[in-house]
Amino acid sequence: MDTAFRKIDIDIYDEDTLQESELYDADPRDPAQVLDDAKQRQAAVRSSLAKGDIGEALSITLDNAPYGPGVDAAKEITLQTLLTILNSTKSTEITGIIKTLSQDSQDTLMKYLYKGMGMPGWGDISGSVLLGWHEKLTEVAGTGSIVRAMTDRRTV
Amino acid sequence: MALPEVHNIAQVPITSHAFSGDRSQLAVSLNSNDVQIYSRSGTDFVPTETLSEHDKLITSIDWAPNSNRIVTASQDRNAYVWQETPDPETGKLVWKPTLVLLRINRSATYVRWSPNEDKFAVASGARAISICSFDAENNWWVAKHLKKPIRSTVLSVDWHPNNVLLAAGSADMKARVFSAFIKEVDQRPAPTVWGSKLPFNTVCGEYTSPAGGWVHTVGFSPSGDVLAFASHDSSVSIVYPGGPAIYNIRMTSLPLVTLTWTSEDSIVAAGHDCRPLVFTGSEAGWQETGTLDDSKSGETSRAGAAGASSVGRLKAGAFATFRDADTRGQSSISGSSPSADTKLLTVHQNTITNARPYEIHGDQVTRVSTTGVDGILAIWDVNAVTALTARVGGIQLR
């Protein structure tokens, strides 16, 4: 059976179609500022990591994480920063650190874990580290957090 | 503790259920084009009648308790109002359908009678809600559309006790409160916390789900002053419009798809987690207090076998089967191993899609009925709340 018709974008014939931008509130910051913020945070995270304060480093990265279109560079920097933190955490400490995060941060962390798992081989992504964090995070934040990572259109 | 009353109605999903006013009869749609009416006989429900008129799947049923009329909505874009009338030949009472002119071009998804039973609201995939009232002159039901600013399929509606305001939850991630004032039917309503001047299609409130989940279910509190909605981002939001405060509870479990208020300070809600949860609170704050499903039978042994420190259901049932196959090379499809048992520990064995008040004393709902994809009807005592922490070790609440 010919199934090519399923790929036709019928929405272009509908003037009243639902736009992506109507589904969530856009980030009020402009893209250049988001990129600046991401770079500043990267520096702040380095100093927290030097002190060995992983919880603080994580919350710095996850608060106000970039989302939406047009900020890909900032998203990559944030992912890179986050991977540095994840890779340098001892597996026994993970649960304790996750529990100190706010619910918002936990949900954002879950989004980044899935983003990371979706791009194997990028940067220094290590599948086993991500899966380790994923297991511990699910124990704390539950399956609800995974559902939120899937439904939220504010993709990181 | 009072155990829930459990009826195995069918082996197929129950798309919708509604009890008659005196609770002696039950109308369900068993994932088909027909409505099946059951009568209670002793402790059982026996099928008595089948209402066939729709030619696509029925999505929602509501039974007006006082005027004893049933309204059904279907994917065939129609709604019918069913009324018991004597058959001209035999004199026996039979259900006669009246077509409703909904004027929608997508499936009807949800229907509810207004408190006064003089109109009803049909939600639809046509980004509109049809508010239907009876036109005595032409002897049919006519519809007026609530359209703006709905941007996607409307998944549920709920009437305010004043018969005018309507809450709607839709797939554009928003819950809204509309005025559904029909001047032929309604008296001018008294001012409420939602507003005082209320011509048709006034938007009295618009609320977004916190993490982008489409809104599955909405409900006004018994007084109508508070609105609750649950969305697919596993969260429940409780709105105090006068506040203006919105309490949001992000759950650790799977999303809820149906909710019903049981009193001014408590809500019973259920969904993909297969068990009814209880939320309580007031203007000062809301929290998840527990579940009605304490299902102790076999829990300790099975939970123990499946690894007690795990995340609740994650490591039970099918998950455990695959894990065992992976780590130990066991393909335990035979019934001997406890982890091969895919029966859930809950009463409902699949998603609960409908929760409705069953028994009401004064302004308190004392029992609620639930149906779901597993074909089970359960009637729960809302006061039999078990703290969640007592169930399946490992689920953590904060």
Side-chain angles (χ1 to χ4, degrees), chain B residues 54 71-72 76-81 98-105 108 120 122 129-135 138-145:
Chain B
H54 285 290
V71 61
T72 55
D76 65 9
R77 297 168 289 142
N78 285 328
Y80 287 100
V81 174
T98 316
L99 179 68
V100 182
L101 301 171
L102 290 180
R103 299 185 290 119
I104 51 174
N105 57 4
F120 56 87
V122 183
I129 305 164
S130 298
I131 307 295
C132 307
S133 56
F134 193 69
D135 178 5
N138 293 306
N139 193 30
W140 61 19
W141 292 85
V142 289
K144 237 177 133 177
H145 285 173

Side-chain angles (χ1 to χ4, degrees), chain B residues 13-43:
Chain B
I14 299 178
T15 8
S16 185
H17 83 279
F19 277 97
S20 62
D22 61 2
R23 304 291 185 253
S24 64
Q25 285 178 297
L26 165 73
V28 294
S29 148
L30 301 176
N31 209 24
S32 72
N33 305 350
D34 298 331
V35 174
Q36 188 68 52
I37 299 206
Y38 289 81
S39 287
R40 195 186 258 281
S41 104
T43 56

Side-chain angles (χ1 to χ4, degrees), chain A residues 14 16-18 22-23 99 103-104 106-107 135 138-144 147-148 151-154, chain B residues 127 151-152 172-174 210-214 232-234 250-255 311 314-315 394 396 398:
Chain A
D14 185 359
D16 196 29
T17 183
L18 182 62
E22 293 175 76
L23 293 174
K99 281 183 180 160
Q103 260 188 325
D104 259 331
Q106 288 175 355
D107 290 350
E135 184 184 1
T138 313
E139 269 169 31
V140 176
T143 43
V147 175
R148 282 187 284 277
T151 56
D152 206 335
R153 307 301 279 260
R154 294 171 295 180
Chain B
R127 298 173 182 166
R151 299 294 295 140
S152 187
D172 55 9
M173 329 293 189
K174 289 195 171 63
W214 48 103
H232 200 81
D233 52 2
S234 272
R250 294 186 184 203
M251 301 185 308
T252 54
S253 50
L254 297 178
V311 188
L314 252 189
K315 299 212 173 158
Q396 302 199 15
R398 280 165 307 121

Side-chain angles (χ1 to χ4, degrees), chain B residues 317-367:
Chain B
F319 185 95
T321 309
F322 284 114
R323 187 197 50 197
D324 289 352
D326 179 38
T327 59
R328 290 181 232 155
Q330 287 176 353
S331 55
S332 48
I333 306 299
S334 63
S336 57
S337 153
S339 57
D341 190 354
T342 52
K343 191 167 162 40
L344 300 181
L345 304 173
T346 47
V347 168
H348 276 287
Q349 294 297 303
N350 207 328
T351 303
I352 300 172
T353 51
N354 271 269
R356 312 194 66 170
Y358 178 78
E359 195 174 282
I360 302 164
H361 284 290
D363 53 1
Q364 305 274 323
V365 175
T366 52
R367 292 204 283 171

Side-chain angles (χ1 to χ4, degrees), chain B residues 207-220:
Chain B
Y207 310 97
T208 311
S209 64
W214 48 103
V215 179
H216 280 291
T217 175
V218 288
F220 278 113

Side-chain angles (χ1 to χ4, degrees), chain B residues 114-335:
Chain B
S114 72
N116 294 353
E117 303 175 12
D118 49 9
K119 52 184 182 177
F120 56 87
V122 183
S124 80
R127 298 173 182 166
I129 305 164
S130 298
I131 307 295
C132 307
S133 56
F134 193 69
D135 178 5
E137 219 166 275
N138 293 306
N139 193 30
W140 61 19
W141 292 85
V142 289
K144 237 177 133 177
H145 285 173
L146 287 173
K147 269 192 131 81
K148 287 207 157 116
I150 303 169
R151 299 294 295 140
S152 187
T153 303
V154 182
L155 296 169
S156 66
V157 293
D158 191 49
W159 286 95
H160 188 276
N162 75 357
N163 209 51
V164 167
L165 293 170
L166 185 78
S170 76
D172 55 9
M173 329 293 189
K174 289 195 171 63
R176 299 186 177 87
V177 175
F178 291 102
S179 162
F181 179 82
I182 305 277
K183 66 174 184 299
E184 291 81 14
V185 177
D186 290 306
Q187 304 291 318
R188 235 181 92 91
T192 65
V193 287
W194 303 98
S196 48
K197 261 192 94 187
L198 302 167
F200 188 77
N201 209 158
T202 309
V203 181
C204 307
E206 190 173 71
Y207 310 97
T208 311
S209 64
W214 48 103
V215 179
H216 280 291
T217 175
V218 288
F220 278 113
S221 70
S223 70
D225 291 348
V226 193
L227 177 76
F229 64 93
S231 47
H232 200 81
D233 52 2
S234 272
S235 77
V236 181
S237 305
I238 291 105
V239 180
Y240 287 87
I246 300 179
Y247 293 106
N248 188 263
I249 305 169
R250 294 186 184 203
M251 301 185 308
T252 54
S253 50
L254 297 178
L256 300 168
V257 298
T258 177
L259 69 81
T260 181
W261 288 76
T262 52
S263 68
E264 201 56 35
D265 53 10
S266 71
I267 297 171
V268 170
H272 293 288
D273 217 31
C274 311
R275 56 192 171 153
L277 300 176
V278 179
F279 297 87
T280 53
S282 64
E283 265 175 69
W286 278 78
Q287 65 278 328
E288 189 176 333
T289 36
T291 174
L292 298 180
D293 189 346
D294 74 333
S295 303
K296 289 208 176 65
S297 54
E299 177 208 312
T300 38
S301 62
R302 264 190 271 174
S309 69
S310 65
V311 188
R313 193 166 296 119
L314 252 189
K315 299 212 173 158
F319 185 95
T321 309
F322 284 114
R323 187 197 50 197
D324 289 352
D326 179 38
T327 59
R328 290 181 232 155
Q330 287 176 353
S331 55
S332 48
I333 306 299
S334 63

